[in-house]
Amino acid sequence: MQTIAQVTLIVPDYESGLAFYVGQMGFELVTDNALGNGKRWVTVRPPNTRGAELLLAEPRDTRQKERIGDQTGGRVGFFLFTDNFATDHAHMLKQGVEFLEKPRDEPYGTVAVFQDPFGNKWDLLQPVNVDRP
């Protein structure tokens, strides 16, 4: 068996990444371990899940810094599945999360694109097939 366990997300710094993903989005902090030289292993994930985690990483050079918010070339690169779109959407709006569009129904589910403060685009998605983890 294989599973995607973590995906790296470059953020300007650990604290701003944590402020958004833990503070605003309500994700849980899974690990925050010092690795030396100011480097940390910081992972977060939505609460009450065992799915993939985000590894929040600070840029180490100019090339990485230039990728912040544009790791997927302007496309939606991250997908947050929900089993209660209306509740999660309302909560995220209340927390100041920036949605780029109004919710819409598609053949695959109810969806709305939002953006983190760094420029990364996400889908909040309640799929038609809710059996997915």
Side-chain angles (χ1 to χ4, degrees):
M1 183 177 112
Q2 295 180 337
T3 186
I4 296 174
Q6 296 175 334
V7 175
T8 299
L9 184 66
I10 302 171
V11 293
D13 57 77
Y14 299 115
E15 298 315 314
S16 63
L18 288 169
F20 178 73
Y21 287 102
V22 175
Q24 283 184 267
M25 291 291 294
F27 285 18
E28 64 183 3
L29 177 62
V30 179
T31 57
D32 188 351
N33 298 324
L35 301 176
N37 297 324
K39 195 171 179 183
R40 292 158 54 185
W41 190 267
V42 178
T43 62
V44 299
R45 68 177 171 218
N48 305 313
T49 66
R50 292 188 334 209
E53 300 171 356
L54 290 177
L55 172 66
L56 303 181
E58 288 186 347
R60 291 293 168 204
D61 57 34
T62 303
R63 183 170 176 236
Q64 290 178 9
K65 192 172 192 170
E66 290 171 350
R67 305 302 337 146
I68 295 172
D70 191 29
Q71 294 178 110
T72 59
R75 292 184 55 106
V76 170
F78 305 94
F79 300 82
L80 181 61
F81 280 18
T82 179
D83 63 357
N84 192 329
F85 184 92
T87 297
D88 288 343
H89 183 258
H91 176 75
M92 291 168 70
L93 285 171
K94 186 176 179 182
Q95 292 299 314
V97 174
E98 178 188 2
F99 278 84
L100 303 178
E101 63 182 18
K102 295 193 181 304
R104 65 186 196 282
D105 292 318
E106 296 289 346
Y108 53 86
T110 303
V111 63
V113 176
F114 69 94
Q115 183 170 279
D116 72 15
F118 319 114
N120 298 295
K121 292 180 183 172
W122 287 73
D123 271 358
L124 175 64
L125 175 62
Q126 183 172 350
V128 171
N129 176 4
V130 293
D131 294 337
R132 297 182 85 156

